[in-house]
């Protein structure tokens, strides 16, 4: 275990994965520099490098827990600044297959805000850490390595029209789905990073509203989840600024329209009328905006056999999931715990050992959950193995039981919040509830 903070780490990308990574690295490194091409600290929340930031961003309960552990008091700080808090199962109306789940206390915190608001609060806390700084408006151009390409020694960036070299003991790539690491590695003579893609053709459309408080009937969010029968969903959620965000989504080209009437029509076609009813009494604050997400994408770094020292990858650069399951930021936070553990043992950790732990401790479970859930839509291409079919049947049973049994609803909310493992759905109490209504 390293006790003294020494050396310099560079984090490529200052979005959520980069911020969590910087927090983790700050425990071991004397200096952590976050590099981003955007002006992160400027007044413009909707920066160019975060186009998804306009759309609903749910932080799962596990993500909230890690954020609070990293930055004690941040949940309350955000609440005081206008974010909403509640219980993920008691204060959120979940509607699955057109039916409401039982609302019951789960003991887990739902923290809702716009994505830029969340990022700003986390970033302020990260930049207040001793030794952490940011290099903004800087384009990351390429890695720097030793002559033999075996060790990464820094990066070259372009800032104010001039190239600049930043030396580092460790470089962590958090540049998101468009990460260039796989290309850079091939240029250095390494094998290609094995990639896995699943087409989902997801389309998001988002509009902001002013919603009268009573329309939420005590909830902070209403989530009408897409299901095999009606593969369209939407979430209407209270966020900062006294606003509500409504994000609707559909798969394989069945996208919510961006004209106001079409958008409302799409909301009306969902499996339950709840959100449409709320919008009848709400005032739109802008025009609907769309976002397209073609494929789930995973880069299996853990399957590589050779990798340079001094370089690690985290966040969407490793795995970018169907966003409707709201896993990305939480998986980035969970990944940063793996990073923290590995750099605590060595400032230049064994990259392949890190990637193996990242896979098992942060990514695998969510990837299987997301890709498996997508296959429950008959239109999505992919092999439905017997295992996948059994998982679908089991989850359908859990979701049905959660509409009538509080213990199942509680357990299910803790599993999808990534707090408890799926095995908690196999206890005798839950299995008895799945078998049928209690007398
Ligand atoms: C429509 C949509 C909705 C989503 N909803 C949710 C949700 O509800 N819950 C959830 O947890 N997740 C959600 N996600 C996923 C979430 O946005 C990401 O998981 C999260 O932002 C972490 O990503 P990241 O930090 O790895 O990468 P990104 O957020 O993509 O950030 C990459 C950063 O790197 C910078 N960068 C990239 N290339 C360069 C370069 N060459 N030079 C300099 N800087 C560079 C960019 O400016 C950016 O700041 C959603 C995603 C989408 C697309």
């Amino acid at each position: 275990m390293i006790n003294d903070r020494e050396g310099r780490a560079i984090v490529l990308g200052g979005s959520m994965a980069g911020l969590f990574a910087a927090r983790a690295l700050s425990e071991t490194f004397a200096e952590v520099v976050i590099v981003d091409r955007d002006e992160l600290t400027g007044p413009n929340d909707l920066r160019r490098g975060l186009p998804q930031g306009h759309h609903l961003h749910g932080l799962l309960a596990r993500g909230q827990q890690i954020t609070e552990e990293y930055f004690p008091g941040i949940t309350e700080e955000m609440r005081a600044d206008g974010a909403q808090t509640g219980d993920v199962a008691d204060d959120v109306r979940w509607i699955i297959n057109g039916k409401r789940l039982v609302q019951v206390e789960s003991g887990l915190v739902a923290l809702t805000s716009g994505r830029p608001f969340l990022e700003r609060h986390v970033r302020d806390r990260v930049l207040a850490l001793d030794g952490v700084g940011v290099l903004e408006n800087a384009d990351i151009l390429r890695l720097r390595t030793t002559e033999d390409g075996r060790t990464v020694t820094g990066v070259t960036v372009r800032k104010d029209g001039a190239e600049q070299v930043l030396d580092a003991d460790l470089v962590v790539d958090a540049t998101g789905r468009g990460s260039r690491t796989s290309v850079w590695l091939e240029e250095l003579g390494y094998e290609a990073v094995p990639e896995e893609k699943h087409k989902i053709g997801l389309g998001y459309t988002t509009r902001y509203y002013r919603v009268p408080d009573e329309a939420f009937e005590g909830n902070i969010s209403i989530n009408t989840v897409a299901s095999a029968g009606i593969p369209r969903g939407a979430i209407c959620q209270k966020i900062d600024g006294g606003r509500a965000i409504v994000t609707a989504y559909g798969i394989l080209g069945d996208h919510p329209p961006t004209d106001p009437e079409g958008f409302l029509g799409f909301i009306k076609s969902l499996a339950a009328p709840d959100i449409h009813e709320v919008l009848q009494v709400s005032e739109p604050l802008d025009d609907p905006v769309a976002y397209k997400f073609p494929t789930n994408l995973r880069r299996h770094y853990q399957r590589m056999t050779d990798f340079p020292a001094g370089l690690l990858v985290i966040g969407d650069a490793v795995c970018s999931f169907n966003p409707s399951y709201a896993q990305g930021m939480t998986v980035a936070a969970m990944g940063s715990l793996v990073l923290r553990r590995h750099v605590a043992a060595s400032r230049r950790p064994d990259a392949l050992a890190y990637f193996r732990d990242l896979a098992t401790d942060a990514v695998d479970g969510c990837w299987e959950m997301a890709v498996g859930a997508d296959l429950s839509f008959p239109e999505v291409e992919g092999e439905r193995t017997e295992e996948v079919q059994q998982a679908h049947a089991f989850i359908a049973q859990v979701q049905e039981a959660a509409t009538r049994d509080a213990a199942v609803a509680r357990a299910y909310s803790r599993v999808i919040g990534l707090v408890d493992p799926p095995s908690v759905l196999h206890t005798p109490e839950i299995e008895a509830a799945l078998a049928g209504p209690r007398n």
Side-chain angles (χ1 to χ4, degrees):
M1 193 69 132
I2 297 168
N3 290 317
D4 295 326
R5 291 168 60 228
E6 258 178 42
R8 179 204 246 186
I10 293 183
V11 179
L12 310 182
S15 180
M16 290 307 286
L19 294 173
F20 286 127
R23 168 64 184 80
L25 295 166
S26 72
E27 292 178 9
T28 308
F29 288 87
E31 197 187 349
V32 179
V33 182
I34 301 168
V35 186
D36 204 289
R37 57 159 70 110
D38 280 348
E39 187 174 281
L40 296 181
T41 55
N44 185 9
D45 266 349
L46 275 178
R47 53 194 182 81
R48 202 180 41 144
L50 194 67
Q52 76 269 37
H54 186 78
H55 302 273
L56 187 131
H57 266 70
L59 183 64
L60 296 179
R62 182 73 188 115
Q64 184 277 331
Q65 289 177 337
I66 297 170
T67 307
E68 182 63 32
E69 190 221 321
Y70 274 157
F71 312 107
I74 194 169
T75 306
E76 177 50 29
E77 242 169 62
M78 286 178 58
R79 198 198 57 74
D81 199 19
Q84 303 288 315
T85 55
D87 185 283
V88 299
D90 210 11
D91 299 311
V92 176
R93 185 186 298 161
W94 288 93
I95 303 168
I96 302 184
N97 293 315
K99 288 164 86 179
R100 290 185 189 184
L101 304 198
V102 177
Q103 292 193 241
V104 56
E105 219 172 288
S106 66
L108 303 178
V109 176
L111 170 65
T112 67
S113 73
R115 163 64 196 258
F117 177 101
L118 171 67
E119 189 174 299
R120 176 157 38 82
H121 278 264
V122 170
R123 185 173 58 236
D124 286 351
R125 293 289 288 263
V126 169
L127 294 184
L129 296 168
D130 185 31
V132 179
V134 63
L135 185 70
E136 306 175 276
N137 300 313
D139 246 314
I140 299 150
L141 300 180
R142 66 194 89 91
L143 296 174
R144 291 182 56 80
T145 65
T146 49
E147 222 163 276
D148 60 5
R150 302 297 308 161
T151 303
V152 171
T153 58
V155 284
T156 305
V157 304
R158 189 188 303 109
K159 185 166 165 66
D160 302 328
E163 289 197 8
Q164 208 173 310
V165 169
L166 305 173
D167 294 323
D169 300 289
L170 180 67
V171 173
V172 178
D173 176 11
T175 53
R177 189 177 167 108
S179 156
R180 309 258 312 145
T181 288
S182 48
V183 176
W184 291 331
L185 287 178
E186 281 191 69
E187 285 169 2
L188 287 168
Y190 290 86
E191 64 194 296
V193 183
E195 273 194 7
E196 187 179 346
K197 278 187 185 177
H198 298 275
K199 182 177 166 205
I200 51 171
L202 185 74
Y204 261 43
T205 302
T206 293
R207 195 173 198 194
Y208 289 77
Y209 290 85
R210 190 83 58 203
V211 177
D213 222 28
E214 56 280 10
F216 274 103
E217 296 177 348
N219 299 296
I220 58 172
S221 188
I222 302 172
N223 302 358
T224 306
V225 179
S227 53
I230 302 187
R232 295 176 160 195
I235 300 179
C236 173
Q237 185 167 89
K238 282 191 193 180
I239 57 165
D240 54 288
R243 301 168 300 160
I245 182 171
V246 178
T247 288
Y249 58 93
I251 56 164
L252 296 177
D254 175 32
H255 297 166
T258 49
D259 65 289
E261 269 175 39
F263 181 69
L264 206 58
F266 188 94
I267 298 280
K268 197 175 180 185
S269 73
L270 299 178
D274 303 50
I275 298 178
H276 188 254
E277 283 168 12
V278 169
L279 297 191
Q280 296 310 300
V281 295
S282 304
E283 174 202 348
L285 298 175
D286 60 0
D287 288 328
V289 171
Y291 189 99
K292 295 199 188 340
F293 185 92
T295 53
N296 291 312
L297 166 66
R298 181 163 181 191
R299 298 190 175 104
H300 289 281
Y301 282 103
Q302 80 286 0
R303 291 190 189 157
M304 294 184 74
T305 54
D306 194 16
F307 203 86
L311 175 67
L312 301 175
V313 190
I314 196 167
D316 280 19
V318 175
C319 192
S320 139
F321 311 88
N322 176 337
S324 70
Y325 307 125
Q327 295 171 322
M329 299 189 296
T330 296
V331 170
M334 290 161 69
S336 75
L337 297 180
V338 177
L339 176 67
R340 173 161 80 166
R341 205 169 71 228
H342 279 256
V343 294
S346 160
R347 276 189 200 92
R348 216 168 246 175
D350 174 343
L352 293 176
Y354 160 81
F355 286 123
R356 281 193 294 274
D357 283 355
L358 186 71
T360 54
D361 298 1
V363 182
D364 284 350
C366 293
W367 178 252
E368 278 162 28
M369 219 190 267
V371 171
D374 285 343
L375 287 175
S376 70
F377 300 108
E379 303 83 355
V380 170
E381 285 170 23
E383 195 191 346
R384 276 86 176 159
T385 59
E386 204 161 309
E387 203 184 333
V388 168
Q389 291 178 41
Q390 279 169 3
H392 287 165
F394 180 70
I395 288 302
Q397 217 184 348
V398 170
Q399 291 172 338
E400 188 281 321
T403 65
R404 55 177 165 76
D405 189 285
V408 178
R410 182 186 301 113
Y412 182 55
S413 72
R414 294 181 65 89
V415 171
I416 58 175
L418 303 181
V419 172
D420 287 345
S423 57
V424 303
L425 297 172
H426 294 280
T427 61
E429 187 198 7
I430 299 296
E431 292 204 329
L434 298 187
R438 291 171 188 166
N439 294 318

